[in-house]
Amino acid sequence: MIQSQSSSKTVTPFAQKLGAPLTKQSISVLQINLGRRCNLACSHCHVEAGPKRTEELTPEVCQQLIEVIHRFSQIKTVDLTGGAPEMNYGFRPLVEAARATGKEVIVRSNLTICFEPGFEDLPEYFAQHQVRIVASLPCYQADNVDKMRGNGVFDRSIQALQKLNQLGYGDNPNLILDLVYNPPIPTTEKFSLTPNQQKLEQDYKTYLKEQFGIQFNQLFTITNLPIGRTKFHLDHRHLHQPYLQFLEDNFNPATLANLMCRNELSIDYLGNIYDCDFNQMENLPVRTGTGETLTVAKLLEAGTLDVIEAVRTANFCYGCTAGSGSSCGGALV
């Protein structure tokens, strides 16, 4: 892992670092944040989701999204997130609409949702619809996971993974199970980038197989961006600016070609459109060439998904472009 001491330098604005606009490409991924309701309240959650949040998808926007899924064949992947996406309105109708049109469906699951009353059938539902599961397991050791996500979360996560394995996940090529590693939130200025993804994946696979008989497909290493609860914790320790500087010091232009924001639309529970989930949480909606913001209804009216010329960037974008890069699909280079 690369480590750095912070300096007193000023962070270069990300747009200035790029020197040219980050152009949008043809849209192939629809990432939908179904709402803030969640059974957990993780310390690193950029969405700031939790059991007391009530915001979720409206029936009107859900119907508009189903229409988008049916109308635009260029969409290859429908990526459902939250909160716990499974707890929020519209989850199953969107899964079924996407699968009916031959699209890949990803659910970003915290695994423990499978033990909440009313959600016990989720593993079988996932398998029935061949949903690709991207599951958060920020470490393969219990203490670290429970510290970030709450007491008992590691044990319940292991039980859920074992259940998914019994259904064929991680073995059947149609039942993909991926895990996500998030590093701990920094508490000092000895910052670190995420470890090498391939090596850490092998460590995860060896440990989980030997200890629990668990197998999975890929591990994604995702950098904690300085927004949401992570930013709150960094600010509390006066580390926000030093952390941004560390990320800038490790900026890697080779990551730019594969950034997820370039070929996806991120949609919130009100139907507003963003370039990515991070921009969504920081309230930076997309803008067309004329400066107009977009909604799902406006996209349907326009009859095209490709109306955005450039991605809106901010200094937290250094989190996705530092070192090997970071995206919803892990390392970029």
Side-chain angles (χ1 to χ4, degrees), residues 191-223:
F191 304 120
S192 300
L193 295 179
T194 55
N196 177 276
Q197 183 169 282
Q198 288 180 309
K199 184 182 182 305
L200 188 60
E201 177 180 294
Q202 200 50 56
D203 292 344
Y204 263 69
K205 284 187 169 178
T206 300
Y207 186 85
L208 292 176
K209 184 70 173 174
E210 289 178 353
Q211 298 296 318
F212 306 106
I214 287 168
Q215 57 187 13
F216 65 95
N217 294 92
Q218 296 180 83
L219 178 75
F220 299 147
T221 55
I222 297 183
T223 301

Side-chain angles (χ1 to χ4, degrees), residues 278-299:
F278 305 122
N279 277 8
Q280 185 181 142
M281 295 311 130
E282 290 293 288
N283 195 28
L284 295 173
V286 297
R287 297 213 182 273
T288 65
T290 59
E292 182 186 13
T293 58
L294 287 175
T295 62
V296 180
K298 287 180 183 177
L299 280 185

Side-chain angles (χ1 to χ4, degrees), residues 2 4 17 64 74 81 140 168-169 190 200 206 212-213 217 219 233 265 294 296 309 329:
I2 300 172
S4 168
K17 176 75 78 173
Q64 291 170 355
Q74 72 189 76
T81 185
Y140 52 76
Y169 271 96
K190 290 183 178 179
L200 188 60
T206 300
F212 306 106
N217 294 92
L219 178 75
H233 288 294
L265 297 178
L294 287 175
V296 180
E309 295 173 9

Side-chain angles (χ1 to χ4, degrees), residues 71-72 74 265 298-307:
R71 190 188 296 187
F72 297 104
Q74 72 189 76
L265 297 178
K298 287 180 183 177
L299 280 185
L300 287 168
E301 191 179 323
T304 176
L305 301 180
D306 298 313
V307 293

Side-chain angles (χ1 to χ4, degrees), residues 46-64:
H46 68 277
V47 180
E48 301 184 67
K52 296 181 180 178
R53 302 300 294 260
T54 58
E55 308 95 316
E56 64 180 339
L57 194 70
T58 65
E60 180 186 12
V61 173
C62 184
Q63 280 306 120
Q64 291 170 355

Side-chain angles (χ1 to χ4, degrees), residues 4 6 15 35 43 47 56 68 70 98 134-136 149 178 181 183 208 215 219 224 231 235 250 279 294 310 319:
S4 168
S6 74
S43 63
V47 180
E56 64 180 339
V68 167
H70 280 280
V134 177
S136 181
R149 313 194 70 203
D178 298 322
Y181 164 87
L208 292 176
Q215 57 187 13
L219 178 75
N224 289 323
K231 183 174 185 292
D235 279 338
N250 288 283
N279 277 8
L294 287 175

